[in-house]
Amino acid sequence: MDPNGHFLSIANWSPQRLREALDLADRLKADPKACGRPLEGKTLAMIFTKSSTRTRVSFEVGTHQLGGQALFLSSRDIQIGRGEPIADTARVLSRYVHGIMIRTFAQADVEGLARYGSIPVINGLTDLLHPCQIMADLQTVRAEFGSGLSRLVVAWIGDGNNVANSWLNAAAKLGFRVRLACPRGYDPDPAVFAAAEAAGAVELFRAPAEAAAGAHVVTTDVWASMGQEEEAAERARAFEGYYVDAGIMARAADDAIFLHCLPAHRGEEVAAGVIDGPASRVWDEAENRLHAQKAILTMLMGSTS
Ligand code: CP
Ligand code: NVA
């Protein structure tokens, strides 16, 4: 599996390739037609076994803007939902389409599509990772603080989930730091954390105010991710105090911004006054999903002719 031929994890791409994608995303934001129509005549299959607003719409619109066609494939409708193996799905889709974007539960399923198919695969969120989200987040952060990210400090408040794991991958690759505040028992994936720790890219705290101290970016996510609905009550108890409010923002740098991948729960992980306030960049962040993913689609599926 050529890691450059897919986008399964930020950890699989070199810093140079990540920067190339972010630079291209900036060019596409400035001029949505900067690349012409590199996906002319090409089709992206989009498999969803979980819900989505941003990922679905931004990939579909982005593919269209690049001259291609996107197919929305809900697991309610395709045979994956009835147990058809990932390997067979990969082999069959490779005969029809030119790329696959998948949002699902197991990271192994995304990797299986890449292993058994012969076309690029893009991870649109798994239980482990959300790499496309972090590309959009990095584009947002660069617009605010410049493209040299090495002095950046990102404070993550809450669940050590898929989005947190991808932040850690990005910090290890691009040389910035993530200060995490997670309740005990809700730390990031141990292997992802160990890699970030080895790169000197992460510090783990238990108190949100400690993690937020001096941070340029304060970010969080829901207490219960998709697939964890049955744990919601237990998580609500565990995450008491793990939210971003004006007090937490006051601990951060004077010019700190607030990010959230969305959807958000105001009054749970974030106060309305923060997400709807002057430090919030969440709408730019959501918009940047489109530009960052168009860059990734162009790099993976674009015609070279
Ligand atoms: N942030 C994000 O991935 O949003 P959706 O779940 O709406 O795609
Ligand atoms: N952590 C959240 C992100 C949603 C975009 C989830 O996995 O549900």
Side-chain angles (χ1 to χ4, degrees), residues 48 51-56 103 124-125 130 133 226 261-263 289:
F48 284 89
S51 304
S52 171
T53 297
R54 282 144 288 270
T55 305
R56 184 209 168 154
R103 162 168 289 196
L125 179 148
H130 197 359
Q133 179 67 52
M226 290 181 278
C261 63
L262 305 175
R289 296 292 304 276

Side-chain angles (χ1 to χ4, degrees), residues 63-100:
T63 301
H64 176 73
Q65 289 181 1
L66 294 170
Q69 177 199 12
L71 287 180
F72 174 67
L73 305 173
S74 155
S75 58
R76 277 193 291 273
D77 305 316
I78 60 172
Q79 299 286 10
I80 269 186
R82 297 180 56 249
E84 183 166 17
I86 281 286
D88 294 359
T89 305
R91 293 178 182 117
V92 171
L93 288 180
S94 295
R95 302 291 177 105
Y96 298 136
V97 302
H98 305 87
I100 302 171

